[in-house]
Amino acid sequence: MIIWFSIFAIIIFVSFILAFSSMRNFREIPEKQIEYSLFLIGNPKALTDETMDFLYKETSKSGLILSIEKLFKGKKEAVVIFGPKYILEKLTKSLELLELEDYVKVDENSITAWEMGVGSPREAGKRKETNNLFTSIPELLELEQIWWQVSLLAENKKSSFRAQIRVVVISPDEKRREALGQIVQNIGGEYIIKLPQAYSSLQILSLFNQRSVQHKHKFPLTLDIKEVRHFIPPHQS
């Protein structure tokens, strides 16, 4: 009888460990019951603190996810936003929104992708200015792309967002892809760092497409409404 109780206790303990482990990797994803859509922001300058405050208030009520993405392709660049359609449509005029088909379609053999987060606790306590992101990136060739994604989940009672940064670098040339990847990984200095690679590039591309936000992890990035737009590089002049 004691043996059976011992086996039962071991099973319960293992089940608890597995459940705890899965919760650590739990990711919030956009709700299927809500219609989400992707929009080109025709007027990125209108993505102001007031706009972010509006988006925070609208999404914090129901825990809905947003994603703001800076896209580079050759010499072109754009800012897009993904989120609940009924909320974003309220900003159609100010942001000059144009609804798009999702762009996350690419040759899987031409990408490298990773997630980024806050560095050391000492650096995490700083609010380093990030307006100069991407100034060190060389001119991209016609078939090269960089996708920079900041997925956001409003934190209740904090007037801030839990953020998840993902990067996808695309080039048919492996050496160019590696070189571009090394540059982008280091654009944030010690403050924004490449996270330990727990997933393959293809898995991160899938998470990029989901616009998910991890529930908890070792390198949390929390941004207040004034900081979010600093993590979306402005248009180059």
Side-chain angles (χ1 to χ4, degrees):
M1 183 66 69
I2 295 177
I3 293 176
W4 285 110
F5 275 119
S6 299
I7 293 174
F8 181 74
I10 291 171
I11 292 173
I12 294 297
F13 177 73
V14 171
S15 299
F16 173 79
I17 294 297
L18 291 174
F20 178 75
S21 178
S22 66
M23 282 302 294
R24 287 183 59 190
N25 294 320
F26 175 72
R27 291 172 181 264
E28 300 278 359
I29 60 175
E31 292 186 18
K32 293 182 179 180
Q33 298 91 333
I34 303 295
E35 183 180 5
Y36 276 74
S37 192
L38 182 72
F39 294 88
L40 171 70
I41 299 179
N43 182 20
K45 292 183 179 179
L47 201 61
T48 60
D49 292 346
E50 290 73 22
T51 301
M52 293 311 306
D53 183 55
F54 167 80
L55 290 172
Y56 171 80
K57 290 176 180 176
E58 289 290 315
T59 59
S60 64
K61 298 173 183 177
S62 48
L64 299 175
I65 285 177
L66 295 168
S67 184
I68 305 176
E69 297 155 19
K70 183 66 183 272
L71 313 177
F72 299 84
K73 182 178 182 181
K75 297 181 180 180
K76 301 177 181 179
E77 55 187 276
V79 180
V80 300
I81 186 167
F82 174 87
K85 189 172 182 178
Y86 79 94
I87 294 177
L88 296 183
E89 283 182 336
K90 298 176 184 179
L91 299 171
T92 297
K93 187 174 181 180
S94 62
L95 293 181
E96 299 178 12
L97 297 180
L98 175 65
E99 192 168 7
L100 302 172
E101 293 291 329
D102 209 336
Y103 62 90
V104 186
K105 297 176 182 178
V106 65
D107 179 2
E108 296 178 349
N109 296 315
S110 66
I111 73 163
T112 182
W114 65 91
E115 294 182 312
M116 301 190 81
V118 169
S120 67
R122 176 178 59 84
E123 292 294 334
K126 298 179 181 179
R127 282 316 187 196
K128 183 176 179 179
E129 183 60 57
T130 53
N131 276 331
N132 62 346
L133 286 176
F134 286 101
T135 56
S136 60
I137 289 185
E139 188 173 292
L140 299 181
L141 302 179
E142 183 178 356
L143 297 179
E144 295 176 340
Q145 300 182 58
I146 295 174
W147 302 343
W148 175 273
Q149 179 186 81
V150 183
S151 293
L152 302 165
L153 180 62
E155 294 273 18
N156 291 326
K157 302 178 182 179
K158 294 183 179 180
S159 295
S160 61
F161 294 93
R162 182 165 7 114
Q164 193 95 32
I165 297 178
R166 298 186 185 90
V167 185
V168 179
V169 174
I170 305 164
S171 175
D173 185 294
E174 184 177 358
K175 290 185 178 179
R176 279 281 298 178
R177 192 165 66 245
E178 290 179 0
L180 289 170
Q182 285 296 322
I183 293 171
V184 179
Q185 289 171 24
N186 295 308
I187 60 175
E190 296 180 3
Y191 178 53
I192 312 171
I193 63 169
K194 178 183 177 182
L195 296 182
Q197 198 80 338
Y199 304 98
S200 68
S201 288
L202 292 183
Q203 287 173 320
I204 291 179
L205 181 66
S206 177
L207 294 172
F208 189 107
N209 194 29
Q210 292 176 8
R211 276 87 178 186
S212 62
V213 178
Q214 190 163 314
H215 184 61
K216 289 182 180 180
H217 55 79
K218 291 176 63 178
F219 302 88
L221 179 58
T222 301
L223 306 175
D224 65 37
I225 59 176
K226 294 180 179 295
E227 293 172 319
V228 171
R229 60 192 182 90
H230 296 315
F231 284 77
I232 304 298
H235 274 37
Q236 304 292 338
S237 57

